[in-house]
Amino acid sequence: MIDRMYGRSRYVRRPVRGFPVVALLLGSLFLPPAQPVQAVRAAPLPLERHYDNTGVAHEGRPDSAGLDGRGAALSARDLAAAGWTPGRALTVQGARLTWPRRPPGAPDNVRAAGQEVLLTGRGDALAFLVTSTGGGPAGGSGTVTYADGSRSSYLLSAPDWRRGGLATKAVALPHVSTPDGSLAERARLYVVTVPLAPGRAVASVRLPYAPDLHVFSLAVRAAAPGWTGSWASSTSGQPAVGRWTDRTLRLVVHASAGGPRVRVRFDNTFASAPVRLGGATVALRAAGATALGAPVPLTFGGAAGAELPAGTQAVSDPLAFTVPAGADLLVSFHLPGTVTAVPSHGLAVQRAYLSGPGDHTADADGAAYGTTLTSRPLLAGIDVGGGPGSVVLLGDSLTDGDRSTADTDSSWPDVLAARLRRQDEVPRYGVLNHGIAGNRVVTDRYPGDGVSTVTTGVSALNRLDRDVFAQTSVRTLVVFEGINDLLAGTSPERLTAGLREIAERARLRGLRVLGTTLAPCGGLARCTPAVEAGRTAVNAWIRERGPFDAVLDADLALRDPAAPGRLLPAYDSGDHLHPRDAGYAALADSVDLRLL
């Protein structure tokens, strides 16, 4: 297939594995028909001026809309329950989109047919709020025109609103509205981003010619100059939490990079209902849940709190607050309502704290925080002012820090960040740990929707947009994942195809991509001779034929020279899969920082 990006062409050979990952960026699944002459010549108009389809049905008049052309539509009641009300700003994957400011029964989306949309802004990506109604993915190629007169092409695709994957959806609604009544069937909406030419101001966007593709909103995702990602955590599922009513959470964050300003990101990923933050603060930590001085309030658009509609994010306003590099922060937030399940990161090798009733965000002491947690609810990221940008480590439990000593910041991402802070040879990047224990490259463990005890996340392929491309000021991606795929029976060929796809998609976003060999697992009952043969084959591919800019050799750093299929005993935590602290340190110390 041919990829065209910013006037360059290159040929990429890879297997077609279906939506979303193939169609999203690398195209060639959809070759657009010739575009109508009048669409080509039309002057740019705001997206709402192009609305030609009605997707949301009035509850009292189920025949008032027909998203699919056959009378089936989205439910206005379900959208309201999710917090997606007319005119509502929705931040998804770092892009600020707007749900159409139209009442139910009025045109609220565009069937893509080559329309020229007036859109201005400067950023790193276009974000489309879309779905399709053709029974499968729909999409094609479009064009961005920049203020300087130059152009770049993009490829856009959206899954079907009733059959598409849940792992990549922005929101899933519980019903489909039809003239004959409501069906208990999930209706999906998606946010898809495509890269922009760096540094150029957008003037207009030509949509693809794909009438089954419906566009509800479009925005330029602003880049983040002047900010560095200092800490991050992946949402790995949505577990039940009993019943929290009027509680305050206090989470400990170990900042990798420092700066004179801070902003905090919360993420309601995978949820079906809004969550309300009554207030939030940030403080330096003294010990435990006790702050070093009075916590400082955060604001959201000038307000003390924020509501996060289902599937969306909230980012606090910039706060003049000095974050020392390597410091521990306390981020406290009040949940004034009742919460029974919450999007979380399942494995936090750092205690978090839950208060009794009341807003305790301003408390300097930790007396109110009588319950400890081993997960991280809602909190997704910390950015600091200035700095050179960040490195994202995408991985599984070995990156998540499983079996490292709790509350000591002994994971290999933490040790790597400490190394960067102690040197002057390369920029002191922020290090963002996007490891999820139990995660796989090509298979979803958590389905991406609903309350579940499974907190091992959607696949690396399906979380790549959210956990890598949408991260603040990311410069380099390090991929260290795949052993769980092999242990589950995935073939080496399918795994390497998935790793290649990650590298190709990341490179199209302008990222440097490092691949990491898979560490030994000999001695683990599931690590059969077939798994070991697959690991050996995958590692040979990574070292010799992989599509990476450089290779980090975790296998070499951690293996026992006398038994290369096993971890060095001094590094083995005892389960023969995860290192202990000394092993994580050895892995971090083996990294040539110049490769970052």
Side-chain angles (χ1 to χ4, degrees):
M1 78 182 66
I2 300 176
D3 277 322
R4 295 194 181 275
M5 196 61 187
Y6 314 147
R8 299 191 303 269
S9 298
R10 65 188 183 94
Y11 293 82
V12 178
R13 198 180 287 256
R14 67 195 187 111
V16 174
R17 299 180 54 250
F19 185 81
V21 289
V22 172
L24 180 62
L25 288 175
L26 300 181
S28 90
L29 287 184
F30 303 102
L31 298 177
Q35 299 181 10
V37 173
Q38 68 181 84
V40 172
R41 294 178 178 173
L45 295 171
L47 183 67
E48 58 270 21
R49 295 279 300 277
H50 290 290
Y51 285 161
D52 57 10
N53 183 261
T54 302
V56 181
H58 192 284
E59 295 305 325
R61 292 182 53 203
D63 60 349
S64 61
L67 179 68
D68 63 353
R70 295 181 293 276
L74 306 171
S75 163
R77 180 180 299 153
D78 287 350
L79 284 163
W84 290 49
T85 52
R88 185 69 178 268
L90 306 166
T91 301
V92 183
Q93 294 186 33
R96 187 178 175 86
L97 295 147
T98 301
W99 186 245
R101 194 181 299 274
R102 297 295 176 93
D108 50 27
N109 69 91
V110 174
R111 296 176 72 97
Q115 299 93 335
E116 189 80 14
V117 178
L118 180 65
L119 183 71
T120 59
R122 194 187 301 265
D124 65 356
L126 288 178
F128 297 82
L129 178 52
V130 290
T131 199
S132 76
T133 57
S141 64
T143 305
V144 180
T145 299
Y146 299 95
D148 63 4
S150 63
R151 292 189 174 100
S152 67
S153 62
Y154 67 88
L155 288 151
L156 175 67
S157 176
D160 184 74
W161 72 304
R162 298 169 75 170
R163 298 180 179 87
L166 290 167
T168 55
K169 59 93 172 69
V171 69
L173 307 173
H175 303 97
V176 170
S177 177
T178 75
D180 297 324
S182 182
L183 303 179
E185 186 180 323
R186 310 296 271 176
R188 291 99 155 150
L189 294 168
Y190 297 85
V191 170
V192 178
T193 66
V194 298
L196 287 169
R200 301 184 203 172
V202 174
S204 66
V205 176
R206 186 183 302 284
L207 299 180
Y209 187 77
D212 287 332
L213 175 68
H214 300 259
V215 183
F216 289 85
S217 185
L218 171 62
V220 175
R221 182 173 69 193
W227 292 95
T228 286
S230 179
W231 176 92
S233 182
S234 298
T235 304
S236 62
Q238 187 182 193
V241 295
R243 189 178 181 86
W244 293 345
T245 301
D246 186 24
R247 300 297 185 94
T248 304
L249 286 154
R250 178 161 283 183
L251 274 59
V252 179
V253 169
H254 188 62
S256 60
R261 296 173 294 145
V262 69
R263 64 182 185 184
V264 180
R265 184 173 69 252
F266 298 89
D267 206 325
N268 200 24
T269 304
F270 304 137
S272 59
V275 64
R276 178 73 189 173
L277 303 180
T281 61
V282 63
L284 295 176
R285 183 170 80 138
T290 300
L292 187 66
V296 181
L298 297 167
T299 59
F300 301 84
E307 183 180 73
L308 285 70
T312 71
Q313 303 167 326
V315 182
S316 71
D317 301 325
L319 174 68
F321 180 95
T322 299
V323 177
D328 281 349
L329 304 179
L330 296 176
V331 177
S332 307
F333 51 98
H334 179 223
L335 301 175
T338 296
V339 175
T340 59
V342 63
S344 301
H345 180 85
L347 175 67
V349 194
Q350 172 69 64
R351 281 174 290 183
Y353 303 90
L354 177 69
S355 80
D359 182 352
H360 296 280
T361 56
D363 293 6
D365 64 66
Y369 296 92
T371 301
T372 59
L373 305 174
T374 56
S375 62
R376 294 192 189 102
L378 291 170
L379 186 64
I382 304 288
D383 301 332
V384 295
S390 59
V391 174
V392 170
L393 309 184
L394 184 71
D396 51 32
S397 56
L398 274 72
T399 297
D400 213 359
D402 196 4
R403 299 300 181 100
S404 66
T405 303
D407 303 326
T408 63
D409 307 310
S410 298
S411 70
W412 84 270
D414 285 321
V415 179
L416 179 64
R419 283 191 64 204
L420 284 165
R421 291 193 296 270
R422 292 193 302 264
Q423 56 78 52
D424 296 309
E425 186 176 7
V426 301
R428 296 179 180 180
Y429 297 113
V431 176
L432 304 183
N433 184 343
H434 279 285
I436 297 178
N439 198 235
R440 297 177 188 168
V441 172
V442 299
T443 307
D444 298 326
R445 303 290 301 278
Y446 172 66
D449 189 65
V451 179
S452 175
T453 58
V454 178
T455 57
T456 45
V458 302
S459 70
L461 285 167
N462 283 337
R463 65 188 180 96
L464 191 62
D465 286 1
R466 182 177 63 251
D467 289 350
V468 180
F469 303 151
Q471 296 300 302
T472 301
S473 64
V474 58
R475 304 286 188 262
T476 300
L477 168 62
V478 179
V479 184
F480 182 23
E481 191 159 2
I483 193 64
N484 290 323
D485 297 75
L486 296 177
L487 290 170
T490 300
S491 70
E493 293 78 14
R494 187 180 178 205
L495 174 56
T496 55
L499 293 172
R500 178 178 295 279
E501 190 167 292
I502 288 173
E504 290 173 348
R505 288 173 57 188
R507 194 166 289 112
L508 284 175
R509 299 295 178 123
L511 302 183
R512 179 172 172 78
V513 189
L514 309 186
T516 306
T517 57
L518 306 184
C521 61
L524 180 71
R526 293 180 295 139
C527 192
T528 63
V531 169
E532 176 59 17
R535 188 185 74 88
T536 300
V538 170
N539 283 349
W541 175 85
I542 290 172
R543 292 184 180 112
E544 300 165 12
R545 303 187 305 279
F548 305 106
D549 295 302
V551 173
L552 305 183
D553 207 330
D555 174 45
L556 183 62
L558 296 174
R559 72 190 183 194
D560 183 350
R566 289 176 173 261
L567 293 171
L568 188 72
Y571 296 161
D572 193 341
S573 68
D575 71 355
H576 311 304
L577 178 64
H578 301 96
R580 65 178 70 188
D581 292 356
Y584 284 126
L587 177 56
D589 289 343
S590 73
V591 176
D592 182 347
L593 298 182
R594 294 170 297 180
L595 298 179
L596 301 178

